[in-house]
Amino acid sequence: MTDITGAVHVGGQRIPVAAALTLPPPAAVERLRIGVDWSTASPKEPNYYTNHTAARCYRLSHAADAVAAWGCQAIGLSDDPGISATDPVQATGVVRSWAEAFYYGGGSAARKNVRVELGRNEIDREYKTGTLPPGVIETHRQLKALCDTRNPDGSERYPNLFHALDVTFWGVKTQGAAARLAPLAPHIDVYAASLYNPEREASPVGWPAYSTFVDLMLDTADSYGAAWFSIWETGTPIDHSHPVTGAANYQGTTDWTKRPAWMAGLLRYTNAGIAARGMRPGIGCYWNRQTPATATEPAGPPNQWKHDRTRAPQDTATAWHDAYLIP
Amino acid sequence: MTATARFVLDNPTPDHGDRVTIAYVVEGNDGTPASSDDVEGTAHVGSLDINVTVTLTLPAVDPEPESFEPPVYPGLTIEATADPRVWTALIP
């Protein structure tokens, strides 16, 4: 038994407070398998670890590359331009060919137990208003059916292939994405979230309570009847960083402990929330990149791990990499 | 009266997935209400003693301002609520 501790300040007096809190014995709970985006940018942002348990891939062919390079156990897979969003015959044809090669083709012995969550990236940003086109719904239905394909003997053909719906917190909170995408709910296994720090663009960066944004996505996933919950993308700049370059101490004094602790806490909170709702954890991937500036848009928030890597092992890359081990 | 403080936990032996509420309770920080009493004296005028009385009302003293540190427990993420005295944690 351990005490929970705190203190009250009454006028100028500090009064320490403690009370006994007995946690349940550690359970053999599943946790999100942790990883990072599989970048093909040139030059790549350094990931510092090459044994991530998960990866986020943006092309079908990259999934096998990530398994070969990192030994990944799980992959969030999206964005391949060869997969139609609205033509179910085309989409299932492409995915079936890929799945056959991935799970049964050359070198597949190393991949047969790899979990793949397949879906469109942040689909709420593709369909921001109105009702979903019928082709989108039908494509989702047929891709889910493909994931559930049975062999002639009744066994699952792709037991580790899951159909996912990836949605941004912003879309659900402000743009009615939960209701708009609800027709896809019967056709998914995994509800995946882009779960960035909602205050990452504030200056200084804010560190909101997890319940203020994680719960909405968990509750939406639960209401959809999703069996699994994943974080396909997350990230935040360091505390008091320059909003574009990521340099420390832009406004005030950088607290180097903030980002690693907040990111590890996000995983703990999400894992607990998944279990509390009776779902199962899929993958948790950090987006170790920064959207570059364009002619019309400024650069995105500097999420990259490099901004506190000089503090290793008290850095975000280590905290994230080791998070799979955190009870 | 000296102020004292304690925690109240709604569930001190939670299970996995439970949400625990941790509330600070402060006692004795009540301030002092306004009070009045007489001030008495005597004036001597020649051989005459004149007793004098006036009522003096002392102002109330407000309770001291209170603030609350985030509770700490190893391995738990404890979050603030809208009430600064109340915190919650989801048990992983």
Side-chain angles (χ1 to χ4, degrees):
Chain A
M1 186 166 63
T2 304
D3 279 352
I4 188 166
T5 58
V8 178
H9 295 261
V10 178
Q13 182 189 10
R14 181 179 185 275
I15 307 172
V17 182
L21 174 63
T22 304
L23 294 188
V29 291
E30 291 183 303
R31 303 180 194 120
L32 294 165
R33 278 165 274 203
I34 301 308
V36 66
D37 61 285
W38 175 261
S39 174
T40 54
S42 181
K44 294 179 185 178
E45 295 289 348
N47 287 327
Y48 306 109
Y49 295 93
T50 57
N51 60 346
H52 297 284
T53 56
R56 179 71 199 288
C57 296
Y58 298 89
R59 292 289 184 275
L60 289 173
S61 63
H62 294 172
D65 296 343
V67 174
W70 291 349
C72 295
Q73 305 165 12
I75 288 171
L77 184 55
S78 69
D79 280 63
D80 195 298
I83 305 174
S84 171
T86 55
D87 181 341
V89 175
Q90 191 276 351
T92 52
V94 170
V95 172
R96 181 177 289 106
S97 288
W98 167 83
E100 284 295 313
F102 188 84
Y103 287 115
Y104 297 100
S108 60
R111 301 190 294 264
K112 62 183 173 61
N113 293 320
V114 173
R115 169 189 181 82
V116 176
E117 301 174 357
L118 177 80
R120 299 193 70 78
N121 178 57
E122 298 180 345
I123 192 170
D124 56 297
R125 296 174 62 200
E126 291 188 87
Y127 307 101
K128 294 182 177 177
T129 58
T131 56
L132 289 172
V136 172
I137 300 172
E138 180 59 17
T139 301
H140 274 72
R141 189 189 71 78
Q142 293 198 26
L143 284 171
K144 171 72 166 76
L146 172 66
C147 293
D148 296 339
T149 298
R150 298 278 173 177
N151 291 312
D153 65 1
S155 60
E156 285 192 76
R157 180 71 179 163
Y158 314 118
N160 294 307
L161 180 60
F162 299 88
H163 199 217
L165 186 73
D166 178 39
V167 186
T168 70
F169 163 72
W170 194 246
V172 175
K173 180 177 174 61
T174 69
Q175 297 174 334
R180 188 163 53 259
L181 300 175
L184 303 178
H187 311 309
I188 63 168
D189 303 296
V190 181
Y191 190 94
S194 271
L195 212 52
Y196 290 92
N197 175 0
E199 297 182 21
R200 67 191 181 283
E201 295 186 64
S203 186
V205 170
W207 306 101
Y210 304 118
S211 56
T212 61
F213 64 107
V214 179
D215 286 4
L216 176 63
M217 303 307 275
L218 289 168
D219 289 340
T220 303
D222 197 20
S223 74
Y224 277 26
W228 304 79
F229 186 89
S230 287
I231 301 172
W232 270 17
E233 292 181 25
T234 184
T236 185
I238 60 172
D239 186 58
H240 285 97
S241 63
H242 188 286
V244 174
T245 67
N249 301 326
Y250 171 67
Q251 188 179 62
T253 302
T254 290
D255 181 346
W256 297 98
T257 68
K258 284 277 188 183
R259 186 168 78 162
W262 194 89
M263 294 307 309
L266 172 66
L267 290 171
R268 280 198 297 270
Y269 187 90
T270 304
N271 277 321
I274 291 169
R277 290 165 178 80
M279 295 185 286
R280 297 180 67 186
I283 67 170
C285 280
Y286 194 95
W287 200 66
N288 183 29
R289 292 159 78 174
Q290 178 179 21
T291 307
T294 66
T296 56
E297 294 289 334
N303 305 302
Q304 300 98 311
W305 285 339
K306 65 187 177 189
H307 295 302
D308 61 7
R309 182 60 180 172
T310 57
R311 304 287 153 162
Q314 278 77 46
D315 64 326
T316 306
T318 304
W320 191 256
H321 174 265
D322 291 352
Y324 188 65
L325 310 173
I326 296 173
Chain B
M1 179 180 174
T2 303
T4 61
R6 59 189 170 88
F7 279 132
V8 173
L9 276 60
D10 66 340
N11 180 3
T13 56
D15 202 349
H16 299 289
D18 288 351
R19 182 173 287 280
V20 176
T21 299
I22 306 135
Y24 281 105
V25 175
V26 177
E27 291 161 327
N29 182 28
D30 304 320
T32 307
S35 62
S36 40
D37 207 342
D38 288 346
V39 178
E40 297 175 350
T42 304
H44 303 284
V45 181
S47 59
L48 186 63
D49 295 341
I50 305 172
N51 294 326
V52 180
T53 301
V54 68
T55 299
L56 175 64
T57 301
L58 298 178
V61 177
D62 292 334
E64 295 279 1
E66 297 175 359
S67 62
F68 305 88
E69 294 184 10
V72 175
Y73 191 95
L76 281 190
T77 301
I78 299 176
E79 296 197 276
T81 70
D83 183 339
R85 295 168 298 183
V86 178
W87 303 72
T88 70
L90 191 60
I91 306 301

